[in-house]
Amino acid sequence: MTIRKGTPNDMAAVLGLIQELAAFEKEPDAVLVTVDDLIRDGFGPVPLFHVFVAEIENDSSDNQQAKQIVGIALYYYRFSTWKGKTIHLEDLVVKETMRGTGLGYALYSEIIKQGKKDQVRRVEWNVLDWNTPAIEFYEKSGAKVLRDWYVVQMDEAGINDFVENKIRK
């Protein structure tokens, strides 16, 4: 297994893992991002995200690629008014067939090491309340699961409705 920074050529595999995560989280039709979006937004003049990929050698002897991406850790930088620069881990995904191999731990470790290297004061991420194995893993690693905070989002329809109907003109 090799963990390395992702490249534009990796984005089709990255999108495949994002789609696998969406299915795992019971939202299989929620992914709207495309390979072109990932390339533009991750590798343009001001990248909006960074990604580590976990790659393994394929065992197959046919004409498939010699290496296969089987995990990702996609992150970006945020600013906290209390802490300063932070890293937000958006997604840590391991192909279902590779779970339990230590690959997730290796990707997770790479993110924490990146935070140390960048001298951030916090690495943060979200976890679904029903994902007990992930919660236990994070707590065992020393992370705090903040159970008294809610994630708040406004989707595209909500943004449009707010701008069109709720802003006082």
Side-chain angles (χ1 to χ4, degrees):
M1 171 185 56
T2 304
I3 304 236
R4 62 173 175 78
K5 290 274 190 169
T7 69
N9 291 336
D10 299 326
M11 292 305 104
V14 167
L15 180 57
L17 285 163
I18 291 168
Q19 291 165 330
E20 187 172 324
L21 175 65
F24 173 76
E25 292 185 354
K26 301 171 179 58
E27 296 269 355
D29 300 322
V31 178
L32 301 178
V33 71
T34 67
V35 170
D36 289 339
D37 293 334
L38 292 169
I39 292 170
R40 180 194 63 233
D41 295 338
F43 301 92
V46 181
L48 299 179
F49 70 87
H50 307 276
V51 63
F52 288 108
V53 297
E55 197 172 56
I56 60 168
E57 296 285 333
N58 261 342
D59 291 335
S60 80
S61 58
D62 60 18
N63 290 334
Q64 291 183 3
Q65 291 181 322
K67 295 183 179 187
Q68 179 185 16
I69 293 172
V70 293
I72 62 167
L74 191 143
Y75 68 99
Y76 55 89
Y77 295 93
R78 293 174 60 173
F79 186 83
S80 163
T81 55
W82 290 11
K83 303 296 181 189
K85 185 178 180 180
T86 68
I87 284 179
H88 181 82
L89 173 58
E90 179 65 18
D91 284 324
L92 192 153
V93 188
V94 173
K95 225 177 200 350
E96 186 174 8
T97 58
M98 296 299 296
R99 293 185 190 145
T101 64
L103 200 141
Y105 184 82
L107 284 163
Y108 179 76
S109 298
E110 204 63 37
I111 291 294
I112 304 303
K113 289 189 302 188
Q114 186 69 43
K116 176 78 172 161
K117 176 182 168 191
D118 293 339
Q119 300 179 336
V120 301
R121 293 194 177 107
R122 181 172 66 208
V123 178
E124 58 199 356
W125 59 95
N126 298 323
V127 63
L128 291 167
D129 61 356
W130 55 260
N131 194 346
T132 306
I135 292 168
E136 290 171 356
F137 169 80
Y138 296 139
E139 289 177 331
K140 283 180 187 173
S141 79
K144 297 175 190 165
V145 177
L146 305 176
R147 298 178 198 280
D148 54 345
W149 284 79
Y150 290 100
V151 175
V152 180
Q153 297 179 337
M154 186 178 289
D155 64 13
E156 187 175 10
I159 293 167
N160 290 336
D161 180 58
F162 184 87
V163 169
E164 293 167 11
N165 302 311
K166 300 206 169 77
I167 294 179
R168 294 186 184 109
K169 298 179 182 180

